[in-house]
Amino acid sequence: MSVKNQISIINDEIKDKAELIAVSKTRSIEEIIEAYDQGQKKFGENRVNELAEKYHNLPKDIEWHMIGHLQKNKVKYISEFISLIHSLDRLSLAKEIDKNAKKENRSIDCLIQIKISNDESKYGLNPKLLDSFYIDLKQFENINIVGLMAMATFTKDQNLIDQEFREMESLFKKMKTIYPNFKILSIGMSDDYLLAISNGSNMIRVGSKIFGKRNY
Ligand SMILES: *Cc1c(COP(=O)(O)O)cnc(C)c1O
């Protein structure tokens, strides 16, 4: 299956219910161009160095999304051009994003990453802390919080994933009724994006289903 075919299959499945972010981590410039030529303009990366390098070497109408854990000292490499940071999960990072956004004379859209899985390694904010975290974020004038992101537990157990996505949907709906800026629920990857959409996701991050299995 070619990149081209995969993108049109996924777009047919999701129709206009969700935005597709093509996760291009570890992929070459040529592979990204193949997707771009198919009309795909939104790409997600999880490493700052790779993201910045691709930004500088690819067409400027691409919208870049930072979907991985973000270190404070690396914010400066993406603050000029990043479209959406999916992984805001702590105040110290917010402070750094805000500072760099000010320098660039812009505001940066961010999603709050929530930890819903039981996996030890997963980053994200404890959902119980969301209300107070959001209130603390209001001091940062150059950050727009536009929604929530989460990664489900790495498992074949669809029931568990469904349950975690449902939790995210109710959290998202609750925030949305209080804060009209909440527009995006970024959940769902290659193996579970349809399940995510049935639980209210309107942004999916899909890598291997488009580009094939990653070797690392
Ligand atoms: C790699 C990655 C994805 C995409 O994973 P696939 O299973 O290849 O679709 C989505 N979200 C994040 C945060 C990732 O790191």
Side-chain angles (χ1 to χ4, degrees):
M1 269 300 200
S2 68
V3 166
K4 185 178 163 199
N5 286 340
Q6 291 301 87
I7 287 182
S8 74
I9 288 170
I10 296 168
N11 277 324
D12 281 349
E13 282 175 333
I14 67 178
K15 304 233 166 50
D16 46 12
K17 288 185 282 225
E19 280 196 76
L20 171 62
I21 309 303
V23 176
S24 50
K25 61 189 185 193
T26 78
R27 308 298 174 173
S28 68
I29 298 287
E30 291 71 28
E31 286 172 292
I32 295 173
I33 287 290
E34 220 182 315
Y36 176 85
D37 286 343
Q38 185 63 19
Q40 181 64 33
K41 296 283 149 69
K42 296 175 187 194
F43 292 88
E45 291 279 337
N46 69 339
R47 294 216 166 89
V48 165
N49 299 357
E50 191 177 338
L51 171 56
E53 198 187 317
K54 285 173 174 169
Y55 164 74
H56 289 292
N57 288 297
L58 279 155
K60 289 295 169 285
D61 63 338
I62 289 181
E63 199 182 274
W64 290 100
H65 291 229
M66 176 60 192
I67 62 173
H69 181 65
L70 181 54
Q71 287 173 296
K72 293 194 292 274
N73 60 354
K74 300 215 164 153
V75 174
K76 57 176 179 283
Y77 301 114
I78 59 170
S79 50
E80 174 199 347
F81 66 87
I82 199 74
S83 279
L84 182 63
I85 295 174
H86 290 230
S87 48
L88 175 57
D89 61 356
R90 57 207 192 280
L91 274 184
S92 59
L93 176 61
K95 193 172 170 189
E96 197 63 24
I97 295 171
D98 185 62
K99 189 181 91 185
N100 282 278
K102 271 198 184 78
K103 269 189 208 157
E104 300 291 344
N105 225 333
R106 61 173 295 212
S107 2
I108 296 182
D109 288 351
C110 296
L111 304 178
I112 299 172
Q113 182 175 355
I114 303 290
K115 181 177 157 61
I116 41 165
S117 84
N118 300 318
D119 296 351
E120 257 331 299
S121 63
K122 294 271 159 73
Y123 296 102
L125 182 80
N126 177 337
K128 293 197 182 77
L129 304 177
L130 179 57
D131 287 317
S132 66
F133 184 66
Y134 185 76
I135 289 164
D136 284 341
L137 289 175
K138 290 190 172 169
Q139 65 185 292
F140 302 116
E141 292 175 351
N142 294 57
I143 293 183
N144 296 326
I145 304 298
V146 293
L148 302 178
M149 180 271 216
M151 290 177 82
T153 300
F154 187 69
T155 175
K156 293 241 177 288
D157 180 353
Q158 293 290 302
N159 286 328
L160 177 59
I161 297 174
D162 190 34
Q163 184 191 317
E164 291 175 348
F165 283 167
R166 241 180 333 201
E167 257 174 66
M168 282 305 296
E169 182 179 29
S170 73
L171 208 54
F172 177 64
K173 280 187 170 157
K174 196 186 88 188
M175 292 299 282
K176 208 176 151 174
T177 47
I178 319 176
Y179 309 111
N181 285 351
F182 270 67
K183 294 188 186 78
I184 298 174
L185 178 58
S186 167
I187 51 174
M189 310 188 350
S190 288
D191 293 331
D192 53 29
Y193 61 86
L194 291 176
L195 189 58
I197 290 171
S198 73
N199 284 295
S201 173
N202 55 17
M203 184 172 280
I204 58 171
R205 312 177 306 269
V206 178
S208 43
K209 175 100 194 236
I210 295 173
F211 296 107
K213 268 207 159 54
R214 281 181 300 276
N215 299 320
Y216 53 96

